[in-house]
Amino acid sequence: MRFCAAAVVVLVTCACVSAQTPSAPPAAQAPAFDSNRAFAHLKQLVEIGPRPAGSPGIQKTREYIKQGLSAVGLTPKEQTFDAKTPIGTVPMVNISATIPGPGTGRLIFAGHYDTKLFEEFRFVGANDAGSSTAFLLELARVLKDRKNAVTIEILFLDGEEAFGEWETGNTFGSRHYVDAAKTDGTLKDIKAMILVDMIGDKALGFKRESRSTPWLTDAIWAAARELKRPEFLAESTPIDDDHLPFLAAGVPATDIIDLEYPDASSRYWHSAEDTLENVSAQSLQVVGDVLLAALPTIELRIR
Ligand SMILES: [Zn+2]
């Protein structure tokens, strides 16, 4: 993903956020999100090494994701496609698992699992995209045993990263997924999409992604406030990411992303320093706790 070129910072008051959020029903009992499990996944992913789309590394990552989903009793499904990229045609695969719930609509939790291709240094992407991949695997375990009010899909997207400059092509997996849903007539069943990306930064701070669907972002920020999590900030900023194809297709979507590192230089982003030492299990725990706390409000809205 990238900062939007026309990035502006808008201050949003907490009172405004609170007023727009419907009150949640009592939370359905769910197993707790276990960041130790998530972090164990993250370590395994980093050990695979670079995982760019079309590489042997991402093939190993796919096997790891599918094994992880199967291990918690879910059935992984692959959506294969060929992406036309600046380096030629690259075979890509989105992976999903569905946790059946009442009704025909579904809620998607998504993240990308490819890492950006760099020739000049070894990029292992602990945060980008190890954190989202590891997080979704643990979330799948939790939601599988939760009494969900809607069907939930856990979606691992390929090809978020550009080959070179962002403008030359990006978000291949999410664009293909939305196009396929339009073609097969199932787009209307997607009631909302929550994207996680770069959620493992040690000094976590999420701004509201400014083009995301307000009620969905509000529900998550309200849960964060309830849990007294200061990591969910009042400021907003536009970031190009995998939620945009969903928004463009009319699907409510939001992006939980921390693209800024504390020294404001974003020095770990797309650098050789995006390593295990610079990510934190606690950050994954915060996001897990907040999203699970927000879930009843979101379910109430879309069921
Ligand atoms: Zn990236």
Side-chain angles (χ1 to χ4, degrees):
M1 81 307 308
R2 65 158 195 183
F3 290 107
C4 181
V8 288
V9 174
V10 180
L11 291 176
V12 179
T13 68
C14 290
C16 169
V17 173
S18 173
Q20 293 172 4
T21 306
S23 61
Q29 260 318 317
F33 185 94
D34 182 350
S35 55
N36 290 325
R37 287 174 188 262
F39 207 75
H41 288 311
L42 209 164
K43 276 185 185 160
Q44 295 291 318
L45 293 162
V46 167
E47 266 175 34
I48 291 172
R51 308 177 295 283
S55 70
I58 204 165
Q59 179 55 36
K60 282 186 195 157
T61 308
R62 270 195 283 282
E63 294 310 315
Y64 187 82
I65 291 169
K66 288 189 287 181
Q67 281 169 17
L69 292 171
S70 300
V72 298
L74 293 170
T75 306
K77 188 174 143 196
E78 294 191 329
Q79 181 184 51
T80 61
F81 61 102
D82 287 328
K84 303 271 179 274
T85 82
I87 63 163
T89 300
V90 176
M92 296 191 185
V93 186
N94 294 326
I95 303 170
S96 64
T98 299
I99 305 165
T104 54
R106 70 183 188 276
L107 168 65
I108 297 177
F109 283 100
H112 76 98
Y113 72 97
D114 62 306
T115 57
K116 187 166 171 61
L117 175 65
F118 289 101
E119 308 283 9
E120 58 278 29
F121 61 90
R122 190 169 185 271
F123 181 69
V124 299
N127 194 19
D128 184 14
S131 65
S132 49
T133 314
F135 178 86
L136 290 176
L137 281 171
E138 169 58 5
L139 190 67
R141 183 191 72 85
V142 172
L143 294 180
K144 166 74 168 48
D145 289 336
R146 179 179 178 273
K147 194 170 171 6
N148 303 310
V150 294
T151 293
I152 291 177
E153 181 177 351
I154 309 289
L155 176 60
F156 299 81
L157 294 163
D158 202 345
E160 186 269 347
E161 300 286 2
F163 295 87
E165 293 303 311
W166 181 258
E167 293 76 12
T168 62
N170 54 66
T171 58
F172 296 96
S174 52
R175 287 189 291 114
H176 178 81
Y177 183 94
V178 170
D179 284 347
K182 279 181 188 167
T183 303
D184 68 18
T186 59
L187 185 72
K188 63 180 184 330
D189 296 333
I190 309 173
K191 301 302 181 191
M193 182 266 202
I194 298 170
L195 180 66
V196 292
D197 194 2
M198 298 183 67
I199 54 172
D201 178 2
K202 275 185 176 168
L204 210 54
F206 296 115
K207 292 179 181 173
R208 297 166 57 103
E209 197 288 315
S210 54
R211 287 157 300 176
S212 295
T213 306
W215 71 257
L216 191 52
T217 310
D218 287 347
I220 295 165
W221 258 248
R225 205 164 46 247
E226 195 81 10
L227 293 177
K228 302 194 180 353
R229 296 309 329 183
E231 297 87 353
F232 289 73
L233 308 169
E235 296 92 343
S236 68
T237 189
I239 294 176
D240 290 350
D241 209 345
D242 279 318
H243 63 313
L244 294 185
F246 288 83
L247 283 173
V251 175
T254 192
D255 188 11
I256 308 301
I257 180 167
D258 177 10
L259 195 44
E260 295 173 52
Y261 287 94
D263 61 2
S265 68
S266 295
R267 66 193 172 100
Y268 302 142
W269 180 47
H270 289 178
S271 87
E273 291 179 88
D274 186 359
T275 55
L276 211 52
E277 299 75 55
N278 294 321
V279 289
S280 136
Q282 173 58 20
S283 295
L284 302 180
Q285 188 69 52
V286 166
V287 178
D289 290 345
V290 168
L291 289 188
L292 286 170
L295 199 42
T297 302
I298 295 164
E299 288 176 318
L300 190 65
R301 175 89 182 216
I302 64 174
R303 73 184 176 191

